[in-house]
Amino acid sequence: MSPAHRPTHPRDRAWVEVDLAAIRRNLNRVREVAGAHVKLVAMVKADGYGLGVRRVLEAIRPAGPFGYGVATLDEGLELRQLGVSEPIMVYTPLPHDSLARCVAAGLIPAVSDLDTLAALHRIAAPASGPRTAIPFQIEIDTGMGRAGFHLDEAATWWPEVERAVRAGLRLFGVFTHLHSADHPDLGSARAQVERFDRFVRGAAGIGSDVLVHCANSAGSLRLVSRTANAVRPGIYLYGGDIGDPANPPRPVAAVRARVVLVREVPPGTTLGYGATYTSRDTERWAAVGIGYGDGLPRVLGNRGRAIAGGHRVPIVGRISMDTTVVRVTGDVSVGDIVTFVGRDGEAEVSLEEVAESAGTIGYEILTGLSSRLPRIRT
Ligand SMILES: *Cc1c(COP(=O)(O)O)cnc(C)c1O
């Protein structure tokens, strides 16, 4: 087929469907539980948890969140390019030489140490003309360990933060991050919130204009902070389970692909790289146009399930870069749609099931979906 005659429809091979109404429903659920007075910072890092930040914004923007959370400078700049005018907070520590661009784009950096605070101050200092207070957040480490000013050392760093504010920086927010809010036992998460709350209560200078927040999705739905006025949900918006049977998310993502070839093979036929699978009987194999190059985890070979012809079917053999084979029984032909994540009629392969089969978490499955898959709204 000449290129001009190749199908250009995005659904010719494999794609991700993003259910915008489900994102909105999940977001509304967080709002209901957290309370109407609590500001919502929608986490849209890693290209909207792999679903395509443009797509997820279509669902989230009409809901009017207070702001957005990203992990990197580029992600923040992309949001600005997409016309987001609400506050955009960058949550990972930035290299000092990125701070100027962060500030210039009006993005709000997270500060975890005094060196970064000083670097921010140097950006603020040489202002010619009217100085607008540069906003920043401080992260407080209450047990996550990867970033943040350590709570126990507040006596050393908090006065420096206050000094920076007097010198013209603006304390936009104060936050901590919970490490186990999705665990059955909420003891450690409660202890983190408790320590954070005690600090915020005790620190003069954290006024009601400062954004105070500690809850990810699980925290938003399962915990209450006495001082927080905002929450930062991510995965739950995108259909990820947060370990709370009372709040199952509505599934958002479906990963589907088309059958590109069907064959019937005699017993003893080997399949795929390494010939790790051999047919036991006469079998029908459907080759499907999706592989690890699309983000389908290779570890699902001989292990995962898909839905074909309305039934759950096994993935057989190793997953290749572009092709995955499923063993089918009934009526499956070329062009049929196979579902690797999501529902098809009565059958379901949930995000959690895929994550578990792959030995990982739903977050990694979603963010691993490659740019080869178009993100389609449903
Ligand atoms: C990713 C992230 C979140 C959101 O966490 P979920 O578990 O996806 O809800 C919140 N806060 C910070 C700092 C994060 O990095």
Side-chain angles (χ1 to χ4, degrees):
M1 215 184 325
S2 74
H5 293 101
R6 283 204 189 116
T8 53
H9 194 279
R11 300 196 188 197
D12 65 344
R13 181 179 167 272
W15 62 94
V16 180
E17 290 169 13
V18 183
D19 184 340
L20 302 190
I23 295 178
R24 269 197 296 273
R25 178 270 175 198
N26 294 336
L27 185 151
N28 287 333
R29 183 69 192 143
V30 171
R31 277 197 163 145
E32 264 168 50
V33 175
H37 59 289
V38 171
K39 295 188 174 94
L40 192 116
V41 176
M43 297 302 291
V44 296
K45 59 192 175 178
D47 198 27
Y49 284 58
L51 298 181
V53 73
R54 285 164 188 271
R55 282 282 167 264
V56 308
L57 283 178
E58 285 178 59
I60 296 173
R61 284 179 96 169
F66 169 81
Y68 294 89
V70 295
T72 71
L73 176 60
D74 283 345
E75 289 172 358
L77 296 175
E78 185 181 9
L79 287 190
R80 282 280 180 258
Q81 264 159 24
L82 290 170
V84 169
S85 54
E86 290 84 1
I88 298 170
M89 287 145 268
V90 181
Y91 277 97
T92 57
L94 289 174
H96 292 178
D97 54 8
S98 297
L99 285 171
R101 285 211 295 151
C102 177
V103 166
L107 312 174
I108 302 164
V111 176
S112 278
D113 64 343
L114 292 177
D115 283 351
T116 305
L117 194 63
L120 208 53
H121 192 69
R122 282 195 294 276
I123 294 166
S128 50
R131 175 192 286 186
T132 48
I134 291 179
F136 68 101
Q137 300 203 93
I138 57 166
E139 175 164 3
I140 298 174
D141 183 11
T142 56
M144 185 67 182
R146 67 185 178 186
F149 287 103
H150 207 277
L151 191 58
D152 297 336
E153 293 153 12
T156 26
W157 55 260
W158 179 248
E160 296 299 322
V161 172
E162 291 187 301
R163 201 191 320 274
V165 169
R166 282 196 303 273
L169 296 179
R170 174 177 168 215
L171 182 61
F172 187 89
V174 175
F175 72 98
T176 193
H177 195 54
L178 307 174
H179 54 69
S180 301
D182 58 349
H183 281 209
D185 176 5
L186 279 173
S188 69
R190 286 209 181 93
Q192 277 189 277
V193 173
E194 182 69 24
R195 299 178 74 213
F196 177 71
D197 282 347
R198 211 176 313 130
F199 169 77
V200 172
R201 285 243 161 124
I206 302 182
S208 57
D209 59 325
V210 176
L211 203 67
V212 176
H213 46 119
C214 54
N216 54 0
S217 298
S220 311
L221 290 159
R222 303 180 73 204
L223 290 160
V224 175
S225 153
R226 290 174 301 129
T227 63
N229 54 25
V231 292
R232 311 185 300 270
I235 193 70
Y236 185 81
L237 306 182
Y238 312 112
D241 192 71
I242 46 105
D244 182 4
N247 287 299
R250 184 167 298 173
V252 169
V255 179
R256 305 193 205 272
R258 284 186 188 273
V259 174
V260 295
L261 204 63
V262 180
R263 51 177 38 161
E264 198 164 283
V265 299
T269 309
T270 61
L271 173 61
Y273 285 110
T276 62
Y277 180 81
T278 305
S279 56
R280 271 151 289 200
D281 301 304
T282 299
E283 295 182 353
R284 268 163 70 75
W285 291 347
V288 189
I290 188 168
Y292 65 78
D294 300 279
L296 192 66
R298 185 170 171 278
V299 68
L300 294 177
N302 287 320
R303 197 179 162 86
R305 292 281 184 280
I307 307 167
H311 302 287
R312 284 166 55 92
V313 297
I315 295 173
V316 286
R318 283 202 186 136
I319 290 175
S320 311
M321 191 185 295
D322 319 304
T323 310
T324 296
V325 176
V326 294
R327 191 180 65 227
V328 296
T329 42
D331 187 17
V332 173
S333 36
V334 169
D336 282 5
I337 293 172
V338 177
T339 299
F340 289 85
V341 177
R343 246 177 220 285
D344 184 0
E346 294 296 296
E348 181 176 20
V349 177
S350 71
L351 178 63
E352 303 316 316
E353 176 186 345
V354 173
E356 200 169 307
S357 302
T360 182
I361 52 177
Y363 301 71
E364 195 182 17
I365 300 298
L366 292 182
T367 58
L369 298 171
S370 82
S371 58
R372 191 151 78 170
L373 300 174
R375 272 61 167 174
I376 294 165
R377 57 185 290 178
T378 59

